[in-house]
Amino acid sequence: MKQMTYAEAIRDGMRVEMQRDPNVYLAGEDVAQFGGCFGVTGTLYDEFGPQRVLNTPISEAVIVGHAVGAAAAGLRPIAEIMFVDFMGCCMDELFNQAAKMRYMFGGKAKVPMVVRTPCGAGMGAAAQHSQCMESWFTHIPGIKTVMPSTPADAKGLMAAAIRDDNPVVYIEHKQLLGVSGDVPEGEYVVPLGKADIKREGSDITIVAWSWMMQKALAAAEQLAAKGINAEVIDPRTLIPLDKDEILKSVSKTGKLLIVHEEVKTSGFAGEIAAIVADEGFDYLDAPIKRVTAPDTPIPFSPVLETAYLPSEEKIIKAVEEMF
Amino acid sequence: MKQMTYAEAIRDGMRVEMQRDPNVYLAGEDVAQFGGCFGVTGTLYDEFGPQRVLNTPISEAVIVGHAVGAAAAGLRPIAEIMFVDFMGCCMDELFNQAAKMRYMFGGKAKVPMVVRTPCGAGMGAAAQHSQCMESWFTHIPGIKTVMPSTPADAKGLMAAAIRDDNPVVYIEHKQLLGVSGDVPEGEYVVPLGKADIKREGSDITIVAWSWMMQKALAAAEQLAAKGINAEVIDPRTLIPLDKDEILKSVSKTGKLLIVHEEVKTSGFAGEIAAIVADEGFDYLDAPIKRVTAPDTPIPFSPVLETAYLPSEEKIIKAVEEMF
Amino acid sequence: MDLKKEQLLDIYKKMCTIRAFESKIVEIFAAGKIPGFVHLYLGEEAVATGVCANLETKDFIASTHRGHGHLIAKGGDLKSMMAEVFGRTTGYCKGKGGSMHIADVDLGILGANGIVGAGMPIATGAAFACKYKNNGAVAVAFFGDGASDRATFHEALNLASTWKLPVVFLCENNGWAISNSQKTHQNITDISDRASGYGIPGVSVDGNDVIAVYEAAGAAIERARKGDGPTLVECKTWRHRGHFEGDPGAYKDPKDQEEWLKKDPIPRLEKNLLKLNYAVQADLDKIKADTEADIEEAVKFAESSPLPDPQELFTDVYAD
Amino acid sequence: MDLKKEQLLDIYKKMCTIRAFESKIVEIFAAGKIPGFVHLYLGEEAVATGVCANLETKDFIASTHRGHGHLIAKGGDLKSMMAEVFGRTTGYCKGKGGSMHIADVDLGILGANGIVGAGMPIATGAAFACKYKNNGAVAVAFFGDGASDRATFHEALNLASTWKLPVVFLCENNGWAISNSQKTHQNITDISDRASGYGIPGVSVDGNDVIAVYEAAGAAIERARKGDGPTLVECKTWRHRGHFEGDPGAYKDPKDQEEWLKKDPIPRLEKNLLKLNYAVQADLDKIKADTEADIEEAVKFAESSPLPDPQELFTDVYAD
Ligand SMILES: Cc1ncc(C[n+]2csc(CCOP(=O)(O)OP(=O)(O)O)c2C)c(N)n1
Ligand SMILES: Cc1ncc(C[n+]2csc(CCOP(=O)(O)OP(=O)(O)O)c2C)c(N)n1
Ligand SMILES: [Mg+2]
Ligand SMILES: [Mg+2]
């Protein structure tokens, strides 16, 4: 174990896999000498050289599109999109090419590639540099969606994403990059599709991921002081989703709250709510609740951005209203 | 009233609005002399001339992107994207530009534009020409999403979409284009955000839209013969969503089934289920069910495509299992 | 011309095979035997054939919606192709892809593609893999005049040039993007003029002259193999049919159509072969008849192949 | 040069205003008074100023993430701009946009933009509206060397040329796309070389010479106004600061930085003004001092303006 920030853990995940497999390479805007817009790729250019860590032009479509071709031709690209907000510039390459190639070809292709991209608000970066939009990716059969909330998960899920033979969208949260935690050294893999119970509890199930998982955990501590013992589940990967773990928890608690930073309408909380309102209906003793961003673009001014973001307080309030 | 096909009704909706407002124009691939890939724009080029009906290069980003600029500068563009499957080529222009411009500018811009685009499977057009993906659009605050199921709605909602001062994604279903029905002549507006109860009933609420609304209606007739009296609600516009009408119906029936052609995970049925599992929880006497496409790309071979699509039979079976 | 007799006869045979394949599809589509969209390569046979005559199995191509010709030229199996067009289990994609998604990754065929322009980034990526592995292979991206207006054209050419990748951007300028003639969708005559914007060579050739195509593509492919980076090659050609089967192509001026039919690449090559004394008419007739027989066999194979089991719907979404 | 004394002094004043605005932001950003990303225009003042000196209020511009200079040059109100950067209700966007989204549609300013390259289609559409309404107005899209690699560059230039729209594509080649020098993101030296791929004129000028910019942009704008279609104008310049405030710009060679500082457009224009006898040093000092005072006032206005009410979060999503 070693103390690392989330950013260092992501980097270590890439490093170990790049050491392990010469076919893994990294391409994106300013990922080389500069070390990435948020410093996540850091020293990888120095460690692996210009063949394996490549700067690209500002050309999101070909960043993702070239990765599809390179993956089909036998490599394992990690393509960085500087902000998840820019995915609108390469959705065709992701959803019509990467995601569908295997199926369209009758199973006769493999497209092992990772699209790494940071999400999230909280830094005053306004409407086009602060979004969360994971539900789009979860609506695309053929790709997997990963959203780690801790340094250890960040490393282990990065390894799993790189080793996976399918396209994986790996979304890192900007607010977590500087958060530290214990991380296993060397090879370390957290399997995709395995939720993690970050806190056990019996009174209510809270499902949250990425930055919101940290907020949910903090809220749960405060709720405990108020006598409400929340179970906090981090699915870690939205696709594949470990729905069994969620259903099991709801069968115990009877109550479900889902927290995410995406806007509410058609966010992934809706999918989880729908699953539980179907398969876990009999367990429920209260309406399923969601704490999410409102259906607005993300405002610049910190006062407004704070009002926009789900918070510990909003989670606590929502939980209390369920009792 | 006049008998028209759905395609003719869309065209008539555009025609009447173009006559009414000289700022309305139409641009897209092959929409002019050729009359559109599916014949929807038909004779509009002959009627309105090359100034107002324009062919574009195969450049989806600038088709939508130029519309944003033209709308902000005072026109009311209708931009056609030949298949909704191609929206991946212009998502940035839709979600970061069109949708957010007004908000980012503090309310000091209007972006009245319509993106018209056909969706849907059933013609053996395979994975990249058959999709439904409305939930993506519903996840974008700032735009509205319209999906008519009948010729009359197609016309009236087109008028409303054109007159609306916001970006509207108007999704027409390829399988409905040839379907005929009575359509009011002249100016005719169906307001956005108003659901239509296409069939009254008391035993179960079925929510469906676009082609699936037709399937749901047919299923309801068969169910009636079996003694189950289904209420079939067509939201017509997903954003804004007339959730009150849905909740009211569920308060009466106690049961909810949602049908859509999108893949299941993170489809818009999830959102509706989540709303009802929250705000209508006390009305429910059974799990909320969804009949949707499975989480796979769309296969080519008709045998497989038929297996992929939701059908009358699948709806009937799902309903029967709820009793 | 460094093409030997055998090579040129092979090229002729490939062109006849494409012609026979596509002509057969006209027939079976009209008979209602195949669903969906089919875009035929009739009239453009010289392009795919001339280009792919320079390629080895290890090389990659990315194709388009109008892909049958490219696939046959790159060595695609006729039976597996035909069965795919028919949506059968024995098809290249087990019936899941259809005409617009036929692929054979083992032969370096990275798929036909339903998205105009999508092949260019994919070929660029495959070329990156070739360079990365340093295996001497190259990639060719086929695309149309219409596709040269898409986002992906620009981003792919720029990246390929900046990274000096072994890829050839092969534009099939058949004068039309569905109903839009070239001059209504772009303000240039030679698409190869776009090359200079990326600092790479651009060349335009008569796409109905298979030898000219062979040579121009050959030079570009050699350049790529040597590590000198990408080239934009434009082949001017014409599609004989409508955009897809079912489109009568009413937007075409009949005079243009007539002119171009006179430039049909197959009779042109025949004349050449006879003039060079590489063949007598009977040889050519025999080759043609052979290819037609091959296609008949492919159709028989396809029609007698089983339809997919509905459960196949759920497989191949993910690799495990 | 057809610039009169008054005009040139106006231009000088605008450049000084931009310089003062941006220099002030350096200070207040360092003091932690503004959140988010700010990208400063220091060193590039001649471009926006030279271009916009040709524009009228009815004309449109689409700006970039590095937008302050464009907005000031097009007539943007300093107080409203500064208040927006501070996130106050009195800002152009009521604090909802911030530095990257300042806009004034009434002045034809279609917004700064957080998405690199997004302004080009938007300006193309505004130009379409000008042509449609036949009102003699034009649109200018500002964008960087990095943006010239994006999808939108290609699609916008091609459409604008095909439709002969009154738009000028104004590339500010400052040699960098964040940490990528031009030669690492494209394989050409003159971005204006891309014009020929769209059948439009392309021209490159010294972007630190405001008179050269004025003239080149003027010719392009006149061409657009006359109905002759778009032009690609490249202005070669240099940003003095890092990519955003907080970036030390360590990737720059100090020698290059030094060379370019010598070419600072403001002293250059000063020399010119003195040589032309349009001003004496005291006049220039006065103008500078005035602009600095204006900025001080703008900051005072911003800092004393109220923060938004949290309920403002929910307004302006839709027009009704
Ligand atoms: C991104 C995208 N836009 C539009 C289409 C619809 N479409 C299919 S083929 C075609 C024309 C293509 O023209 P060109 O590239 O010249 O190829 P050709 O058909 O002439 O071989 C169009 C517009 C598509 N498939 N993908
Ligand atoms: C589509 C997109 N990709 C990447 C970015 C991140 N980004 C912001 S500015 C910038 C560099 C832009 O370079 P250039 O166009 O030359 O403008 P400059 O900053 O030099 O003025 C990048 C990569 C973005 N905002 N949008
Ligand atoms: Mg063509
Ligand atoms: Mg730059």
Side-chain angles (χ1 to χ4, degrees), chain B residues 170-205:
Chain B
Y170 178 102
I171 306 175
E172 26 198 83
H173 200 293
K174 298 195 281 286
Q175 297 295 330
L176 294 173
L177 291 173
V179 171
S180 287
D182 275 338
V183 177
E185 291 177 82
E187 286 195 28
Y188 176 61
V189 181
V190 171
L192 306 184
K194 192 84 210 64
D196 188 37
I197 303 185
K198 289 277 192 298
R199 184 187 195 283
E200 292 200 29
S202 51
D203 298 338
I204 180 171
T205 302

Side-chain angles (χ1 to χ4, degrees), chain B residues 22 24-25 52 55 57 59 61-62 65-66 69-70 73 75 92-93 96-97 102-108 142-143 166 239, chain D residues 60 92-94 97 101 103 105 110 113 115 118 121-122 125 128-129 132-133 152 155 158-159 163 313 315-316 318-319:
Chain B
V24 180
Y25 73 96
R52 299 184 65 192
N55 279 342
S59 300
V62 81
H66 102 277
L75 302 184
D92 185 68
E93 288 67 28
N96 272 331
Q97 311 302 330
R102 180 176 182 77
Y103 192 85
M104 292 187 304
F105 295 2
K108 290 176 197 149
I143 63 169
N166 300 284
I239 305 292
Chain D
F60 291 98
Y92 258 125
C93 316
K94 307 186 206 158
H101 305 293
V105 179
L110 296 172
N113 210 309
I115 302 297
I122 292 173
F128 176 81
Y132 191 93
K133 298 179 174 176
T152 47
E155 295 198 356
N158 187 59
L159 186 77
W163 285 3
L313 168 62
T315 61
D316 301 324
Y318 292 96

Side-chain angles (χ1 to χ4, degrees), chain B residues 58, chain C residues 44 65-66 143-147 171-178 180 182 185 191 237 239 243:
Chain B
I58 308 177
Chain C
E44 309 186 25
H65 57 287
R66 199 176 301 289
F143 61 99
D145 51 307
C171 183
E172 312 185 292
N173 181 356
N174 61 10
W176 295 97
I178 307 189
N180 280 304
Q182 190 195 349
H185 72 71
I191 295 174
T237 182
R239 67 166 145 78
H243 173 67

Side-chain angles (χ1 to χ4, degrees), chain D:
Chain D
M1 187 195 60
D2 66 346
L3 277 169
K4 309 239 159 52
K5 175 179 162 185
E6 295 314 306
Q7 287 176 295
L8 209 53
L9 284 170
D10 267 1
I11 283 176
Y12 177 70
K13 181 166 185 193
K14 276 269 193 277
M15 288 172 66
C16 289
T17 306
I18 300 172
R19 177 68 49 105
F21 190 95
E22 299 294 66
S23 302
K24 180 53 77 178
I25 301 240
V26 170
E27 200 183 306
I28 58 186
F29 185 89
K33 291 192 188 172
I34 45 179
F37 295 106
V38 272
H39 308 82
L40 300 185
Y41 202 63
L42 289 165
E44 309 187 25
E45 294 89 346
V47 182
T49 310
V51 172
C52 293
N54 293 283
L55 297 179
E56 303 168 29
T57 302
K58 69 177 180 187
D59 296 323
F60 291 98
I61 65 165
S63 170
T64 68
H65 56 286
R66 199 175 301 288
H68 304 162
H70 311 135
L71 310 182
I72 292 173
K74 187 68 170 58
D77 176 66
L78 298 175
K79 288 182 182 165
S80 308
M81 282 182 62
M82 192 62 85
E84 188 56 37
V85 173
F86 273 83
R88 305 298 164 117
T89 44
T90 53
Y92 258 125
C93 316
K94 307 186 206 158
K96 291 183 181 179
S99 167
M100 264 193 294
H101 305 293
I102 303 179
D104 186 335
V105 179
D106 294 334
L107 289 180
I109 300 169
L110 296 172
N113 210 309
I115 302 297
V116 167
M120 288 178 272
I122 292 173
T124 299
F128 176 81
C130 298
K131 182 173 177 168
Y132 191 93
K133 298 179 174 176
N134 195 18
N135 62 6
V138 303
V140 176
F142 290 97
F143 61 97
D145 52 305
S148 77
D149 299 336
R150 270 218 62 221
T152 47
F153 170 91
H154 185 62
E155 295 198 356
L157 269 75
N158 187 59
L159 186 77
S161 171
T162 306
W163 285 3
K164 242 190 187 192
L165 299 180
V167 54
V168 175
F169 295 98
L170 204 302
C171 183
E172 312 185 289
N173 181 355
N174 61 10
W176 296 97
I178 308 188
S179 72
N180 280 302
S181 68
Q182 190 195 351
K183 69 173 179 302
T184 68
H185 71 72
Q186 54 189 207
N187 197 17
I188 51 174
T189 305
D190 291 334
I191 294 174
S192 60
D193 283 352
R194 294 195 163 164
S196 59
Y198 310 100
I200 62 172
V203 55
S204 294
V205 293
D206 179 347
N208 282 18
D209 175 352
V210 73
I211 296 170
V213 172
Y214 174 80
E215 288 175 346
I221 288 167
E222 204 186 306
R223 194 170 172 271
R225 271 202 223 288
K226 280 199 325 219
D228 292 341
T231 305
L232 174 59
V233 179
E234 176 190 20
C235 298
K236 311 234 191 208
T237 182
W238 185 260
R239 66 166 148 77
H240 288 178
R241 305 280 305 168
H243 172 67
F244 39 58
E245 284 307 286
D247 165 23
Y251 41 81
K252 287 187 195 170
D253 185 328
K255 275 196 304 235
D256 291 338
Q257 173 81 0
E258 201 182 304
E259 277 310 306
W260 276 98
L261 285 179
K262 285 188 207 147
K263 297 189 235 169
D264 188 324
I266 292 183
R268 246 168 103 174
L269 177 56
E270 283 174 359
K271 257 185 236 149
N272 232 317
L273 285 165
L274 297 173
K275 209 175 70 191
L276 286 164
N277 272 327
Y278 283 3
V280 296
Q281 188 60 45
D283 300 330
L284 303 182
D285 292 346
K286 164 97 172 51
I287 291 176
K288 247 190 199 158
D290 286 351
T291 61
E292 279 159 17
D294 290 347
I295 299 303
E296 285 306 331
E297 220 181 297
V299 171
K300 238 180 256 157
F301 173 79
E303 290 197 304
S304 64
S305 291
L307 290 168
D309 181 307
Q311 284 308 309
E312 269 297 309
L313 168 62
F314 303 102
T315 61
D316 301 324
V317 182
Y318 292 96
D320 32 45

Side-chain angles (χ1 to χ4, degrees), chain A residues 47-323:
Chain A
E47 297 172 46
F48 296 97
Q51 254 79 44
R52 298 184 68 190
V53 181
L54 296 98
N55 279 342
T56 65
I58 307 178
S59 300
E60 282 75 11
V62 80
I63 292 173
V64 174
H66 103 277
V68 177
L75 301 185
R76 305 186 88 85
I78 307 172
E80 177 177 317
I81 296 297
M82 200 183 275
F83 287 74
V84 75
D85 312 66
F86 308 159
M87 289 298 305
C89 304
C90 50
M91 280 309 277
D92 186 69
E93 288 66 29
L94 185 72
F95 100 108
N96 273 330
Q97 311 302 330
K100 296 181 173 54
M101 192 179 251
R102 180 176 182 79
Y103 192 83
M104 294 188 301
F105 295 1
K108 289 175 196 149
K110 271 198 313 201
V111 189
M113 57 183 271
V114 178
V115 177
R116 266 187 55 229
T117 187
C119 74
M123 59 185 293
Q128 297 173 335
H129 284 76
S130 307
Q131 296 172 84
C132 285
M133 34 194 266
E134 51 266 24
S135 82
W136 278 10
F137 309 122
T138 64
H139 195 47
I140 308 171
I143 63 170
K144 302 185 178 179
T145 303
V146 175
M147 295 194 76
S149 69
T150 67
D153 285 351
K155 174 171 176 176
L157 292 168
M158 176 53 77
I162 293 170
R163 294 186 191 186
D164 200 278
D165 277 338
N166 300 284
V168 177
V169 176
Y170 179 102
I171 306 174
E172 25 197 85
H173 200 293
K174 298 196 280 287
Q175 296 295 332
L176 294 173
L177 291 172
V179 171
S180 287
D182 273 339
V183 177
E185 290 177 83
E187 286 195 30
Y188 175 62
V189 181
V190 171
L192 307 184
K194 193 85 210 63
D196 187 37
I197 303 185
K198 289 275 194 297
R199 183 184 194 283
E200 292 199 31
S202 50
D203 300 337
I204 180 170
T205 302
I206 302 179
V207 178
W209 51 90
S210 195
W211 192 28
M212 292 303 125
M213 209 288 305
Q214 301 290 2
K215 303 224 168 193
L217 266 186
E221 289 315 313
Q222 292 199 41
L223 286 163
K226 300 183 183 205
I228 298 175
N229 190 9
E231 178 142 304
V232 181
I233 300 188
D234 181 357
R236 301 196 288 198
T237 68
L238 304 186
I239 306 290
L241 178 70
D242 190 350
K243 74 174 180 182
D244 293 344
E245 204 62 65
I246 295 170
L247 288 165
K248 202 169 79 191
S249 177
V250 177
S251 76
K252 183 171 70 176
T253 64
K255 290 185 175 55
L256 174 63
L257 173 78
I258 311 143
V259 185
H260 65 49
E261 191 179 327
E262 294 186 274
V263 301
K264 183 169 196 175
T265 297
S266 294
F268 196 68
E271 178 59 30
I272 294 176
I275 291 170
V276 175
D278 177 359
E279 300 176 46
F281 184 73
D282 293 338
Y283 309 144
L284 290 168
D285 63 31
I288 299 171
K289 293 286 174 186
R290 294 181 279 176
V291 171
T292 70
D295 288 330
T296 76
I298 299 161
F300 164 68
S301 191
V303 205
L304 299 176
E305 194 185 30
T306 302
Y308 174 89
L309 280 169
S311 64
E312 245 172 270
E313 296 69 45
K314 289 176 194 169
I315 297 168
I316 291 167
K317 182 157 172 283
V319 169
E320 287 181 328
E321 283 170 7
M322 291 172 77
F323 284 87

Side-chain angles (χ1 to χ4, degrees), chain B:
Chain B
M1 286 289 179
K2 201 177 150 185
Q3 274 276 316
M4 287 185 202
T5 64
Y6 182 93
E8 287 163 350
I10 297 169
R11 179 157 66 248
D12 202 44
M14 292 193 280
R15 175 186 294 120
V16 173
E17 295 306 308
M18 287 177 77
Q19 284 162 348
R20 200 175 153 266
D21 183 348
N23 285 328
V24 180
Y25 73 96
L26 176 64
E29 294 160 18
D30 303 282
V31 298
Q33 299 92 329
F34 193 64
C37 182
F38 294 102
V40 175
T41 53
T43 52
L44 293 178
Y45 176 84
D46 299 326
E47 298 171 45
F48 295 96
Q51 254 77 45
R52 299 184 65 192
V53 181
L54 297 99
N55 279 342
T56 64
I58 308 177
S59 300
E60 282 74 14
V62 81
I63 292 174
V64 174
H66 102 277
V68 177
L75 302 184
R76 303 186 88 83
I78 308 172
E80 178 178 315
I81 296 297
M82 199 183 275
F83 287 74
V84 76
D85 312 68
F86 308 159
M87 290 297 305
C89 303
C90 49
M91 280 309 277
D92 185 68
E93 288 67 28
L94 185 72
F95 100 108
N96 272 331
Q97 311 302 330
K100 297 182 172 54
M101 193 181 252
R102 180 176 182 77
Y103 192 85
M104 292 187 304
F105 295 2
K108 290 176 197 149
K110 271 198 312 200
V111 189
M113 57 181 272
V114 178
V115 178
R116 267 187 55 229
T117 187
C119 75
M123 59 185 295
Q128 295 172 337
H129 284 75
S130 306
Q131 296 171 83
C132 284
M133 34 193 265
E134 50 266 26
S135 81
W136 276 11
F137 309 123
T138 64
H139 195 48
I140 308 172
I143 63 169
K144 301 185 177 181
T145 303
V146 175
M147 296 193 76
S149 69
T150 68
D153 286 350
K155 175 170 173 176
L157 292 168
M158 176 53 77
I162 293 171
R163 293 186 192 186
D164 200 278
D165 277 338
N166 300 284
V168 177
V169 177
Y170 178 102
I171 306 175
E172 26 198 83
H173 200 293
K174 298 195 281 286
Q175 297 295 330
L176 294 173
L177 291 173
V179 171
S180 287
D182 275 338
V183 177
E185 291 177 82
E187 286 195 28
Y188 176 61
V189 181
V190 171
L192 306 184
K194 192 84 210 64
D196 188 37
I197 303 185
K198 289 277 192 298
R199 184 187 195 283
E200 292 200 29
S202 51
D203 298 338
I204 180 171
T205 302
I206 303 180
V207 178
W209 51 90
S210 195
W211 190 28
M212 292 302 125
M213 210 287 303
Q214 301 289 2
K215 303 225 169 193
L217 267 185
E221 289 314 313
Q222 291 198 44
L223 285 164
K226 300 186 185 202
I228 298 176
N229 190 8
E231 178 143 302
V232 181
I233 300 187
D234 181 356
R236 301 196 289 198
T237 67
L238 304 187
I239 305 292
L241 179 70
D242 190 350
K243 74 173 179 182
D244 293 343
E245 205 61 68
I246 296 169
L247 287 166
K248 201 168 81 189
S249 178
V250 177
S251 76
K252 183 170 73 177
T253 64
K255 290 185 174 55
L256 175 63
L257 173 77
I258 310 142
V259 185
H260 64 49
E261 190 179 328
E262 293 186 275
V263 301
K264 185 170 196 174
T265 296
S266 294
F268 196 68
E271 178 60 29
I272 295 177
I275 290 170
V276 175
D278 177 359
E279 301 177 44
F281 183 74
D282 293 337
Y283 309 143
L284 290 168
D285 63 31
I288 299 172
K289 292 287 173 185
R290 294 181 279 176
V291 172
T292 70
D295 288 329
T296 75
I298 299 162
F300 164 69
S301 191
V303 207
L304 298 177
E305 194 185 28
T306 303
Y308 175 87
L309 279 168
S311 64
E312 246 172 87
E313 297 70 45
K314 289 176 193 167
I315 297 168
I316 292 168
K317 183 159 170 281
V319 169
E320 287 181 328
E321 283 171 7
M322 290 171 78
F323 285 88

